[in-house]
Amino acid sequence: MSAYATPVEATQGEAQEGQEGQEGQEGQEGQEGAGQSERGTSNSLRALEDATLEELASALTTQLGKEEERVQVKLQKVQQAEKALEEKRQQLQLLEKRIFAFMDCKDEVIELNVGGQHISTTRGVLCSADGSMLAGMFSGNFDSGHQRDKEGRIFLDVDPPLFEKVLRHLRLRRIASPDHPAPLPHVPEELKAEWDMMIKYFGLDSFMYGPAPLSVNIFARIAELGRVDQSKLQENDLVRLSLSSTGGVPSSSHQEVLGECGFSERSLENSYGAHPNSISIKFLKHRVKVEAMELRAKIADVLAHMSNKWTFKHGSDCINMSYSFSRSEPSTGRLDAPGQTFVDEVQWVFPRDFCLEHIVLHGQVLEKGSGSF
């Protein structure tokens, strides 16, 4: 640059020198970085060359494990997406089914005379409980055999209010969804026996209430549901046990006869000489259907104070039962006593004395207020 350069030329020269200096520095840094990369690669190669087969295998296994974890995470995400898609597809199918059910113009209106009351519904509602007797009756195959009134309505000789509860539930089932199931009918306690018979007659019990509960030890099941000691059902207000007359055991201890093992060296007994005698058990929060029972008498008193015959009252059913109690065979083992309906009270009536150490009932248990019938 000339010693007599203008200010502009001087500025341009300085800028050029600065740019050349920067480029030189960047080039130097690039060369150093490349050198470091080459040295790192070289070091890695030397490390691989120096590694033993065991070390190489361990490193490969670790790397494969990490890759497998990443694949599993991706697979779980795919499965979750597929599950959500399947749920959505099922919801759409259900919605489609419900829409077509309402749009079906071929759903014939059926005129009924139910115990003297005129009720209108559709064949689709009456046939919605697949496999039931009610669905079979109105399938169209037996229309000519129906009894009819003078107006031509199909006559059903059942209680109108109870049958209306059935129809209301069947109608709601057609528009129900998994998130909003159809509520079960509320049946007053005094009508439950009649309701049970009608539901069973039309074959609707499993459709409305699901499969019948498994036969279980009734007192053990009630204790499990109530989360209490089986020998303390009465004090936890799950049962009420009462005797027509009571002997040497205080009433607060009556409940022990229902426990897992029953009484030990004592018994549930009447006031000897008061005949006949009865034991009643009221179920306060459950309804039961007794299928069998086991009774164990007190060995010391079995000959003098244990009746060999009794009547078991299960709701409106009365079952005459017997067993020859003896000191060598004080326990009946399992005796069948098939109840026909769910009840909330059972009773034993003995013509003379009783002295029982243990009472076991086998059958089905339903909680009151849970939609059970």
Side-chain angles (χ1 to χ4, degrees), residues 210-235:
L214 297 175
S215 182
V216 296
N217 181 317
I218 287 176
F219 298 122
R221 179 57 177 162
I222 290 176
E224 179 185 5
L225 292 171
R227 298 180 180 179
V228 301
D229 187 330
Q230 186 179 333
S231 63
K232 298 181 179 179
L233 297 178
Q234 184 164 264
E235 68 182 69

Side-chain angles (χ1 to χ4, degrees), residues 56-70:
L56 290 174
S58 176
L60 181 59
T61 301
T62 301
Q63 186 63 30
L64 289 175
K66 293 180 179 178
E67 290 297 329
E68 185 177 357
E69 289 179 359
R70 284 194 286 268

